[in-house]
Amino acid sequence: MRKFTTIFSHIKSTKMNFSVSLLHRSSPFCPNQPPHPNFKNLTWQNRDSLLLFPLLCSRHFASTTAQNPSTLNALQDHYQAIDFPGGAVQFIPEMRFISESPKERIPCYRVLDDNGQPILGHNFVQVSKEVAVKMYTDMVTLRSMDTIFYEAQRQGRISFYVTAIGEEAINVASAAALAMDDVVFPQYREAGVLLWRGFTLQEFANQLFSNIYDYGKGRQMPAHYGSKKHNYFTVASTIATQISHAVGAAYSLKMDKKDACAVTYFGDGGSSEGDFHAALNFAAVLEAPVIFICRNNGWAISTPISDQFRSDGVVVKGQAYGVRSIRVDGNDALAIYSAIQAARQMAITEERPILIEALTYRVGHHTTSDDSTKYRPANEIEWWRVARDPVVRFRKWIEKHGWWNDMAESELINNLRQQLLHTIQEAEGVEKPPLADSFSDVYDVAPSNLREQEQWLKEIVRKQPQEYPTNISV
Amino acid sequence: MSTKFGRLVPLVFSKRGFSTSTSVQKGGGGSEEGLKSLNLCSAINQALHIALDSDPRSYVFGEDVSFGGVFRCTTGLADQFGKKRVFNTPLCEQGIVGFGIGLAAMGNRAIAEIQFADYIFPAFDQIVNEAAKFRYRSGNQFNCGGLTVRAPYGAVGHGGHYHSQSPEAFFCHVPGIKVVIPRSPRQAKGLLLSCIRDPNPVVFFEPKWLYRLAVEEVPEDDYMLPLSEAEVIRQGSDVTLVGWGAQLAIMEQACLDAEKEGISCELIDLKTLIPWDKETVESSVNKTGRLLVSHEAPITGGFGAEISASIVERCFSRLEAPVARICGLDTPFPLVFEPFYMPTKNKILDAIKSTVKY
């Protein structure tokens, strides 16, 4: 039955689009189209030919032929089912609504319990000591980075900051499971992915301070990182727009036959945007090797999950689009690592999208512009910070293996603090980008109106320098 | 249907033709050999064939493009280049453009089709906040320059609210994209190929009224017409007229009628709305001393306002009359009132006379 469902779903994606288009957008110049095929009237011979017609073939059914007796039998058995281009279905006499939510929620894949112990029946991809220690040190680095940079914003040294506190496992473990050739389309709470890929603390600080070494040339708010060298597309403030970009990029990788996939991150709030719907549907229909990673941290600024959707989270939405999906404990680095690695393998080898909902909790405020105690209880935050900490959980696991200890921890944290304070001092002392960078890169080459405006502005600044900041060279 | 079209065609021709007049054709396939009589949709089709044939990293996608498209612009493409390069997408404009941005960001030529310009608005966020700012916001580390969004555009006689719109002005207020509108088959082919190969995201609007009605000799070979270059398609000395798309044909007829009354009109096809060719218009107005702009889109906030303000700024001492704008009215596009809504020849001629007489 599944095979037939898929076959006719393929017809649906072709025919229904045409029908809908005709119904809603009349085209005065479109020549008359023949009526839709009526499968009910097909002779047996014609019906058989459906299975051979190129439109119906896909790599899933390459072995299907008209001579396959089991196929003929299946057709006979399901005569009443082959009735709609929208899909082959069985008829029933009962009026039956499917429930809006199942009795049991989709379970959550986990490897380590809150004490860092592998749970009964654990099933995960083994990680080497080197990888595990780097995962841990990067998680600690990310948190230290967040702590120090957050404080820098409170001191007025940078204008804005967003932390990933509580979500370090999602960041670092997912990155660890990917390859450098995989292209990443972030939202904004995924700096740990870039960290794993080799972006230096100084490079982070340069962007935060918008100095001359910022690859973005000082044009975007702090924390909107991007790096071509690390295949990490530049962050934009818009929510969910990057999800469909990842699908287009994945399609490109597929056509180039690259051993790589596209990866995109978004929050639970982002899943409410229309772009989420567009991306998952396109990815399924166009068979794009992309991994959708949803960080369900329970909040979209002040909006709790109950005001965001009424489904069983985000993971159930994947199936509706025909996207293979899984729910994972986002505070479990090993579960994330294993799930992403499996997803990557499937996405690339089977040319299909995968959806991963990583459950976690946003321990920090949404951003430096937010005081989250105004809309959620402090003890709730504290409980997640103390009892469910992803960094602490993973530390317990690597310590149990003898790969980490208190001395290494102290040394790491002290070094990080010194490095971070140094990077801030360094970044703060460097000059800002030149004024010319305000006008370049709007297009590949500046058109005449932009050149005129640049000259006009420079003339004004030269005449009235006292009206402008002195730290930007003209 | 054929009877209706049979009745429609001569009626339409008697009311409005299309503008094929040219001065010297720059780069428009110089040779008189290799010409073929094509209508607008066939010229578009030819451009797409050439684009797909000349660049293996080019793709055409959108709603219904696989079977040839609802205006037949993509006829034969899927058969020749394969369904992996010419394919239908789900019915979702924001998805089409978002997907195209991702495809272009990886170094491909992504030629997205939006079925009617009226339905480009669901993709407005992707075009304005993403495509236009992709290069700038990344410090030129990334770009989606390979993206071209093409869409049928403008009035068609009976399109009502949602098959007649001219949304170009919405996009002209967006730094980072180019907006291009051709007036004829020959122009369409050369301009579209330039758009597809331009290293910036481009929105290309195709005057659908002309898809089958505009027919002219089009070079069969590969040629490109420059963007951001207006063209003086009719020389004159008393007044400068500026327009684009199908409206040029109406303006041209008004020029002919004005000439009978002793008024010499210069007619300019703007072609690219942003970045637009101020220099050509300025030069013309400095000669004639008068300016009239015309477009189907509503007058308030229409692109004619930008042209008018810029020329007043640059040619103030030369202007002998206020700039005239003869445009669509500030209403949604109506069905039965279309003949009254449109900036018709009589309206333009009346304005030409008022301007010259001022």
Side-chain angles (χ1 to χ4, degrees):
Chain A
M1 176 56 75
R2 183 177 178 279
K3 286 187 176 182
F4 293 117
T5 299
T6 306
I7 289 176
F8 287 105
S9 292
H10 184 71
I11 296 179
K12 172 188 175 184
S13 71
T14 301
K15 302 291 185 182
M16 284 302 293
N17 182 51
F18 180 73
S19 298
V20 170
S21 177
L22 281 184
L23 285 171
H24 293 284
R25 299 173 186 170
S26 63
S27 168
F29 295 115
C30 184
N32 282 330
Q33 296 300 305
H36 297 297
N38 185 336
F39 295 104
K40 221 168 184 180
N41 293 333
L42 291 174
T43 63
W44 271 112
Q45 181 166 353
N46 286 341
R47 189 170 292 131
D48 288 345
S49 73
L50 282 179
L51 299 178
L52 299 174
F53 193 65
L55 178 67
L56 302 182
C57 292
S58 73
R59 62 183 177 281
H60 303 286
F61 311 101
S63 63
T64 304
T65 67
Q67 286 72 43
N68 189 330
S70 67
T71 301
L72 276 176
N73 289 336
L75 277 170
Q76 287 168 340
D77 290 347
H78 298 289
Y79 179 87
Q80 285 301 313
I82 306 177
D83 215 13
F84 300 117
V89 292
Q90 278 185 339
F91 292 106
I92 61 170
E94 300 88 9
M95 185 192 296
R96 194 186 294 171
F97 291 88
I98 61 169
S99 171
E100 66 278 9
S101 64
K103 286 185 168 61
E104 284 185 29
R105 302 198 56 175
I106 300 295
C108 187
Y109 170 59
R110 167 185 260 208
V111 174
L112 301 177
D113 66 19
D114 288 334
N115 290 312
Q117 300 294 322
I119 65 173
L120 187 64
H122 63 265
N123 166 33
F124 69 102
V125 178
Q126 190 56 263
V127 290
S128 67
K129 171 183 176 180
E130 288 72 26
V131 170
V133 170
K134 176 164 161 54
M135 279 170 67
Y136 179 71
T137 57
D138 275 5
M139 287 166 74
V140 173
T141 301
L142 179 59
R143 179 165 294 186
S144 298
M145 192 171 102
D146 280 350
T147 303
I148 300 288
F149 288 154
Y150 184 93
E151 192 54 38
Q153 193 282 334
R154 303 326 291 186
Q155 296 168 4
R157 299 165 86 177
I158 57 176
S159 58
F160 174 86
Y161 193 72
V162 50
T163 72
I165 299 177
E167 301 177 46
E168 294 89 350
I170 296 173
N171 270 245
V172 173
S174 64
L178 298 171
M180 280 298 289
D181 283 344
D182 299 327
V183 295
V184 177
F185 290 82
Q187 179 170 296
Y188 44 61
R189 219 182 289 282
E190 296 94 20
V193 177
L194 195 48
L195 178 66
W196 174 271
R197 292 188 156 206
F199 210 65
T200 67
L201 296 180
Q202 191 64 63
E203 285 173 310
F204 281 114
N206 290 339
Q207 197 282 333
L208 295 173
F209 283 86
S210 305
N211 64 34
I212 197 169
Y213 297 119
D214 171 20
Y215 303 132
K217 304 181 183 176
R219 298 168 178 160
Q220 287 213 84
M221 287 170 67
H224 289 57
Y225 313 111
S227 176
K228 185 177 180 64
K229 177 171 60 174
H230 301 99
N231 280 327
Y232 189 93
F233 276 83
T234 304
V235 172
S237 306
T238 46
I239 301 297
T241 46
Q242 80 284 2
I243 309 181
S244 55
H245 298 173
V247 179
Y251 194 84
S252 179
L253 292 170
K254 175 174 88 162
M255 294 299 287
D256 289 342
K257 296 179 170 45
K258 287 279 181 60
D259 183 24
C261 66
V263 183
T264 183
Y265 297 80
F266 49 94
D268 41 279
S271 75
S272 293
E273 288 278 5
D275 277 321
F276 167 86
H277 163 77
L280 267 74
N281 201 28
F282 274 58
V285 169
L286 300 178
E287 298 169 344
V290 56
I291 305 177
F292 300 114
I293 302 175
C294 176
R295 292 178 297 92
N296 185 346
N297 62 19
W299 298 89
I301 308 184
S302 70
T303 303
I305 285 301
S306 56
D307 289 349
Q308 197 68 249
F309 39 65
R310 293 300 166 91
S311 60
D312 174 14
V314 175
V315 67
V316 291
K317 300 184 181 185
Q319 187 173 50
Y321 294 107
V323 174
R324 192 173 294 170
S325 312
I326 189 173
R327 172 175 276 160
V328 181
D329 182 347
N331 288 5
D332 180 351
L334 290 185
I336 291 289
Y337 182 85
S338 299
I340 299 292
Q341 201 174 89
R344 180 178 185 275
Q345 186 72 5
M346 289 186 284
I348 296 175
T349 62
E350 298 178 39
E351 294 179 345
R352 62 164 67 246
I354 308 288
L355 170 65
I356 296 179
E357 180 189 27
L359 295 182
T360 184
Y361 187 85
R362 196 194 76 212
V363 170
H365 301 306
H366 175 65
T367 67
T368 46
S369 309
D370 174 55
D371 174 6
S372 62
T373 60
K374 284 182 158 49
Y375 51 80
R376 58 179 182 172
N379 61 340
E380 174 185 299
I381 304 173
E382 198 59 22
W383 185 79
W384 280 93
R385 180 195 305 276
V386 174
R388 310 295 300 277
D389 189 332
V391 181
V392 169
R393 190 192 304 194
F394 193 60
R395 175 179 171 181
K396 288 174 179 175
W397 185 75
I398 62 173
E399 280 184 337
K400 188 167 61 69
H401 280 75
W403 296 342
W404 198 252
N405 54 55
D406 285 343
M407 187 181 302
E409 178 81 9
S410 297
E411 186 177 354
L412 172 63
I413 293 189
N414 287 334
N415 285 344
L416 281 171
R417 180 171 173 79
Q418 288 176 39
Q419 282 181 62
L420 284 160
L421 294 178
H422 176 74
T423 60
I424 289 178
Q425 194 172 7
E426 188 78 14
E428 201 165 31
V430 174
E431 68 211 273
K432 298 298 187 192
L435 185 60
D437 278 354
S438 180
F439 292 94
S440 60
D441 304 327
V442 179
Y443 296 91
D444 62 322
V445 175
S448 60
N449 60 317
L450 270 181
R451 293 197 301 271
E452 287 166 17
Q453 287 167 29
E454 184 174 2
Q455 288 310 119
W456 171 78
L457 178 60
K458 285 182 175 178
E459 188 181 316
I460 289 183
V461 176
R462 284 197 196 100
K463 282 195 296 185
Q464 304 162 41
Q466 74 280 3
E467 301 294 333
Y468 297 92
T470 55
N471 61 349
I472 303 257
S473 65
V474 176
Chain B
M1 179 60 79
S2 60
T3 301
K4 180 180 176 182
F5 271 120
R7 283 204 307 271
L8 181 66
V9 171
L11 179 66
V12 168
F13 267 118
S14 69
K15 280 190 174 178
R16 56 187 298 184
F18 60 95
S19 180
T20 64
S21 60
T22 62
S23 55
V24 177
Q25 274 281 24
K26 304 174 191 171
S31 168
E32 284 305 302
E33 301 298 325
L35 294 178
K36 185 175 181 182
S37 189
L38 296 179
N39 60 22
L40 183 65
C41 64
S42 294
I44 297 290
N45 184 254
Q46 216 172 69
L48 294 173
H49 264 93
I50 290 173
L52 288 162
D53 190 50
S54 61
D55 185 349
R57 296 191 68 94
S58 54
Y59 299 81
V60 170
F61 51 94
E63 292 153 16
D64 304 300
V65 301
S66 189
F67 86 114
V70 299
F71 289 105
R72 316 305 302 150
C73 292
T74 51
T75 298
L77 297 183
D79 289 340
Q80 182 170 343
F81 299 101
K83 287 194 180 268
K84 288 278 205 261
R85 293 184 62 203
V86 180
F87 51 89
N88 291 337
T89 61
L91 201 157
C92 178
E93 286 79 16
Q94 69 195 102
I96 290 170
V97 175
F99 175 87
I101 290 170
L103 193 57
M106 299 292 281
N108 303 288
R109 293 287 157 188
I111 307 165
E113 180 178 303
I114 298 297
Q115 204 164 84
F116 288 87
D118 316 60
Y119 306 118
I120 200 167
F121 300 109
F124 201 69
D125 185 47
Q126 285 285 358
I127 294 172
V128 174
N129 276 341
E130 298 299 320
K133 299 171 174 51
F134 213 84
R135 184 194 305 270
Y136 189 83
R137 76 185 188 203
S138 74
N140 203 18
Q141 292 193 93
F142 304 103
N143 74 76
C144 61
L147 175 70
T148 297
V149 181
R150 43 173 293 273
Y153 153 99
V156 73
H158 48 264
H161 290 9
Y162 302 110
H163 300 83
S164 308
Q165 290 180 57
S166 298
E168 69 271 19
F170 287 106
F171 296 100
C172 288
H173 217 236
V174 181
I177 58 174
K178 298 188 176 184
V179 176
V180 180
I181 305 173
R183 70 177 185 268
S184 73
R186 181 187 289 234
Q187 293 293 311
K189 179 175 168 180
L191 289 170
L192 179 54
L193 282 168
S194 289
C195 292
I196 290 168
R197 293 162 176 160
D198 195 85
N200 298 281
V202 183
V203 180
F204 185 83
F205 288 124
E206 298 161 8
K208 57 186 179 293
W209 188 297
L210 305 181
Y211 269 144
R212 274 171 185 71
L213 298 183
V215 179
E216 69 177 334
E217 299 284 290
V218 177
E220 287 197 276
D221 58 341
D222 185 344
Y223 66 94
M224 291 163 64
L225 296 175
L227 304 184
S228 298
E229 275 192 31
E231 181 184 356
V232 178
I233 61 180
R234 189 178 199 281
Q235 296 277 342
S237 55
D238 293 325
V239 60
T240 298
L241 277 68
V242 176
W244 50 88
Q247 187 61 9
L248 284 165
I250 306 301
M251 298 169 79
E252 186 179 24
Q253 291 174 32
C255 291
L256 291 171
D257 285 11
E259 190 167 36
K260 296 170 188 170
E261 302 193 30
I263 301 172
S264 172
C265 303
E266 179 142 303
L267 182 58
I268 297 178
D269 177 5
L270 206 60
K271 300 193 199 181
T272 300
L273 269 62
I274 56 160
W276 67 288
D277 186 354
K278 285 180 192 175
E279 291 73 26
T280 295
V281 178
E282 179 182 358
S283 173
S284 175
V285 173
N286 276 330
K287 177 174 70 168
T288 64
R290 301 178 186 87
L291 173 66
L292 180 152
V293 187
S294 183
H295 53 68
E296 289 179 19
I299 187 167
T300 302
F303 194 66
E306 157 64 19
I307 297 172
S308 178
S310 292
I311 293 305
V312 167
E313 201 172 78
R314 294 178 163 221
C315 305
F316 185 73
S317 62
R318 180 67 185 93
L319 284 170
E320 304 195 6
V323 175
R325 287 186 296 151
I326 311 305
C327 312
L329 309 175
D330 289 334
T331 73
F333 201 107
L335 181 69
V336 298
F337 309 114
E338 179 163 343
F340 300 87
Y341 173 92
M342 293 288 282
T344 48
K345 181 187 73 167
N346 63 302
K347 292 179 180 176
I348 297 172
L349 180 58
D350 193 64
I352 290 174
K353 290 192 271 189
S354 297
T355 298
V356 169
K357 191 188 310 176
Y358 189 83

